[in-house]
Amino acid sequence: MTFSATHLTTHDAPLLGVNIDHVATVRNARGGRFPDPVAAAILAAEAGADIITFHLREDRRHIRDDDVVRLKASIATPLNFEAAVTDEMLDIIERTRPEHVCLVPERRQEITTEGGLDVVGQLPRVTDACARLAAVGARVSLFIGADPAQIEAVAQAGAPCVELHTGALANAWWAGDATGVQAELQRLQAGLKLAQSLGLRTHAGHGLSLNESWSATPGVAPPTASSTALVAALPAITELHIGHALIGHALFVGLKQAIADYKAEIVRARRAVPA
Ligand code: PXP
């Protein structure tokens, strides 16, 4: 599979990166070997995940170093290694040689990756990291908020891809705030336009879900389409990275079906976009 920025036409669905971190979260709750995130990644690849995404955090709260080694040894599907911009992580990535890397901000106290990377504020460090990773053949994306100055800094840093943080959109969606969702979609759209004008390949992720997950009460649905569909329908989006809600959905329907459901949602959303 190739990943050129011009590969997708408007009706091509964005690729789905399945984030398996939360399989490891469940495993680590008991400190043993089960459920194994690598087994989940193998199943996800069989079920049609286009990319396997994982985040090796500084505190190893979910994915651990030996998971990374086993993922590389077991999975032919492209790996997307999310990591903070630290020497420790860059060394591990250089040894692992994943196909893709997404550089993210990291604070130990946060529950998840709460904001985007401040590329503007650490441009030399991020530029060096992008060069190091490109030298080992990794396609690098930087995970940022849809802020024009940050998007311009991604291009300056030499990363070929940007992943826009959809957390604010997802929060508005979970709150049933249709106005907030619209405002966030517009901010994303403006960011995507700028990113494309700079020649960046454009990805998105964080907090995306399906309408089935919004309420356990049958027939109760949010006032908008699913957050996954809303973002997948933005024509500039070439890749989505989804973890927590997809793994949560898998508890009810199984991992293979959960991936099929997310892929179907993405394809439906993109097909509905006028040519
Ligand atoms: N993209 C990036 C860069 C992330 O850090 C995360 C969370 O690990 C995700 C996507 C997926 O977010 P979620 O688990 O909320 O779907």
Side-chain angles (χ1 to χ4, degrees):
M1 185 180 292
T2 55
F3 290 93
S4 79
T6 52
H7 175 70
L8 299 166
T9 62
T10 305
H11 284 91
D12 282 325
L15 301 176
L16 173 62
V18 173
N19 182 315
I20 52 153
D21 292 349
H22 295 295
V23 178
T25 305
V26 176
R27 174 195 62 189
N28 297 355
R30 288 293 172 96
R33 295 200 306 268
F34 181 80
D36 181 4
V38 179
I42 293 168
L43 199 63
E46 283 171 15
D50 299 297
I51 298 162
I52 301 297
T53 294
F54 57 93
H55 184 176
L56 184 68
R57 292 187 76 104
E58 189 191 5
D59 62 8
R60 311 301 199 263
R61 71 176 68 160
H62 36 58
I63 296 296
R64 297 176 180 151
D65 298 61
D66 79 296
D67 296 328
V68 173
V69 173
R70 290 186 305 119
L71 280 165
K72 183 62 185 171
S74 326
I75 308 284
T77 299
L79 297 179
N80 179 40
F81 191 141
E82 295 177 353
V85 191
T86 63
D87 282 334
E88 183 202 16
M89 287 300 150
L90 295 177
D91 288 346
I92 295 172
I93 293 167
E94 284 175 339
R95 285 199 301 276
T96 308
R97 306 262 173 145
E99 286 78 1
H100 309 320
V101 174
C102 181
L103 295 176
V104 301
E106 202 173 294
R107 281 182 293 121
R108 273 194 181 215
Q109 291 77 11
E110 69 189 357
I111 294 171
T112 179
T113 314
E114 277 156 14
L117 186 66
D118 178 13
V119 185
V120 174
Q122 46 181 344
L123 190 57
R125 199 156 84 97
V126 177
T127 304
D128 285 352
C130 289
R132 261 180 85 171
L133 297 172
V136 291
R139 188 202 67 175
V140 181
S141 73
L142 303 180
F143 186 47
I144 58 163
D147 165 19
Q150 296 291 350
I151 295 167
E152 279 165 12
V154 171
Q156 282 168 24
C161 313
V162 64
E163 181 172 332
L164 295 183
H165 196 307
T166 54
L169 180 142
N171 288 343
W173 181 84
W174 281 109
D177 171 9
T179 310
V181 167
Q182 270 314 314
E184 284 303 323
L185 270 178
Q186 276 169 17
R187 214 163 63 84
L188 272 181
Q189 260 168 321
L192 290 167
K193 197 168 160 204
L194 174 60
Q196 280 196 309
S197 76
L198 295 167
L200 296 170
R201 183 182 154 88
T202 41
H203 312 163
H206 207 276
L208 300 178
S209 187
L210 298 180
N211 277 0
E212 291 93 303
S213 308
W214 196 74
S215 169
T217 310
V220 177
T224 63
S226 76
S227 50
T228 296
L230 290 170
V231 177
L234 301 175
I237 294 288
T238 58
E239 245 175 71
L240 293 177
H241 293 277
I242 306 182
H244 183 262
L246 187 153
I247 299 299
H249 185 51
L251 292 177
F252 298 96
V253 302
L255 185 57
K256 282 193 165 182
Q257 187 61 48
I259 290 167
D261 289 348
Y262 272 83
K263 288 202 73 142
E265 185 81 339
I266 290 167
V267 168
R268 255 195 317 272
R270 187 53 72 88
R271 287 219 177 109
V273 177

